[in-house]
């Protein structure tokens, strides 16, 4: 099973991913956690370029750098882990490019969706937890510091709108979580949805583990 977490910078994604993977470990469910851009040697080098405040990167070049990191990650880590029956948890995936480059940078949604499909060979998460917060809240929560975080509130507003549109287009995959609630309430909601999904889709090997502990 492939699960991604999405949200604007400062949405609390990192904390929720940590709580969720700790939950999987407690249940004895084997998982591999990755973050984008990065999680491979090639990807970490690309990440340094992308977050470097001293670089001025053309929007299309930026898109291709994110996609290059993703292509490497899919082939080097995600597909092999899924083949071994592991749960893969990814901090960001295809939807980040649609929201940040497609809408935020205004490259166009359809172009980014097509290029995403090419870069990933069509692999999509089974579940995407989108942690929704207002950009105003994000700005209060987080000292935004890297190159991607210097885009300002209007950029993040476009990104958020795009995430919400994506979620309305794919309601079976993208689950909107109100990330303005407290940490444990958000975590409980994510676990509840995950357990229901496992039952509904008959992931027997995972279900056994959920019920045994
Ligand atoms: P990171 O430090 O990992 O931020 P976060 O903890 O919020 O995920 O930096 C990733 C930045 O790159 C973040 O601002 C979102 C952006 N991004 C894109 O613009 N497009 C993408 O396809 C991906 C994966 C990330």
């Amino acid at each position: 099973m492939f699960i991604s977490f999405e949200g604007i910078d400062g949405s609390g994604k990192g904390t929720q991913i940590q709580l969720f993977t700790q939950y999987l470990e407690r249940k004895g469910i084997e998982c591999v956690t990755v973050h984008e851009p990065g999680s491979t040697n090639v990807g970490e080098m690309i990440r340094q370029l992308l977050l470097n405040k001293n670089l001025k990167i053309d929007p299309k070049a930026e898109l291709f750098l994110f996609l290059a990191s993703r292509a490497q990650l899919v082939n080097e880590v995600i597909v092999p882990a899924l083949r071994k029956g592991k749960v893969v948890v990814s901090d960001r995936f295809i939807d980040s490019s649609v929201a940040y480059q497609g809408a935020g940078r205004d490259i166009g949604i359809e172009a980014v969706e097509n290029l995403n499909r090419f870069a990933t060979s069509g692999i999509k998460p089974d579940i995407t937890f989108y942690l929704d917060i207002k950009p105003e809240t994000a700005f209060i929560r987080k000292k935004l510091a890297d190159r991607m975080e210097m885009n300002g509130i209007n950029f993040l507003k476009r990104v958020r709108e795009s995430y919400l549109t994506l979620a309305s287009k794919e309601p079976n995959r993208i689950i909107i979580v109100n990330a303005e609630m407290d940490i444990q309430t958000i975590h409980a909601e994510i676990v509840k949805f995950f357990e229901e999904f496992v039952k509904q889709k008959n992931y027997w090997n995972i279900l056994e583990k959920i019920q045994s502990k």
Side-chain angles (χ1 to χ4, degrees):
M1 192 191 297
F2 181 17
I3 302 171
S4 65
F5 282 74
E6 295 280 355
I8 61 171
D9 312 76
S11 61
K13 235 174 353 84
T15 307
Q16 290 303 327
I17 290 170
Q18 207 185 351
L19 288 173
F20 183 67
T21 52
Q22 282 167 356
Y23 153 83
L24 293 178
E25 275 163 28
R26 274 201 309 280
K27 294 284 180 186
I29 299 165
E30 268 195 280
C31 79
V32 170
T33 312
V34 294
H35 67 262
E36 280 210 349
S39 289
T40 63
N41 288 339
V42 169
E44 289 301 331
M45 292 180 97
I46 295 173
R47 180 184 180 84
Q48 283 177 20
L49 281 174
L50 279 164
L51 301 184
N52 186 334
K53 272 193 273 190
N54 301 318
L55 294 178
K56 209 171 170 301
I57 305 181
D58 171 82
K60 284 185 182 162
E62 180 184 280
L63 170 66
F64 281 106
L65 286 169
F66 281 115
L67 294 174
S69 170
R70 183 164 304 135
Q72 187 73 26
L73 183 63
V74 164
N75 291 311
E76 196 177 310
V77 183
I78 296 179
V79 168
L82 292 174
R83 285 221 172 96
K84 286 185 193 143
K86 295 185 180 170
V87 173
V88 174
V89 177
S90 187
D91 185 342
R92 301 191 178 280
F93 199 62
I94 45 175
D95 306 302
S96 282
S97 297
V98 176
Y100 279 78
Q101 281 66 52
R105 298 274 192 241
D106 207 16
I107 289 179
I109 306 299
E110 214 185 307
V112 177
E113 282 179 340
N114 288 335
L115 290 166
N116 257 334
R117 213 170 298 124
F118 177 68
T120 60
S121 310
I123 285 189
K124 269 193 175 185
D126 300 292
I127 312 172
T128 296
F129 291 111
Y130 163 58
L131 304 189
D132 185 51
I133 57 165
K134 291 191 221 55
E136 289 83 355
T137 314
F139 266 79
I140 295 167
R141 275 191 195 172
K142 197 172 175 184
K143 205 171 147 280
L144 303 172
D146 65 43
R147 194 188 64 86
M148 288 306 296
E149 293 171 344
M150 289 165 56
N151 294 302
I153 201 147
N154 286 331
F155 178 85
L156 284 185
K157 281 184 180 164
R158 286 200 297 282
V159 173
R160 180 186 187 214
E161 281 311 308
S162 178
Y163 272 131
L164 290 170
T165 307
L166 277 171
S168 69
K169 278 202 293 193
E170 289 188 70
N172 292 331
R173 173 173 71 87
I174 305 178
I175 310 310
I176 302 175
V177 180
N178 175 1
E180 307 218 5
M181 301 184 297
D182 71 89
I183 291 175
Q184 288 305 332
T185 310
I186 298 169
H187 174 58
E189 197 162 287
I190 288 171
V191 167
K192 184 163 165 262
F193 184 89
F194 170 75
E195 293 190 346
E196 275 166 13
F197 184 86
V198 165
K199 279 180 207 151
Q200 232 176 48
K201 302 277 173 176
N202 295 328
Y203 282 94
W204 296 114
N205 51 341
I206 300 178
L207 189 59
E208 267 176 9
K209 289 183 173 150
I210 288 173
Q211 290 173 340
S212 70
K213 290 192 187 175

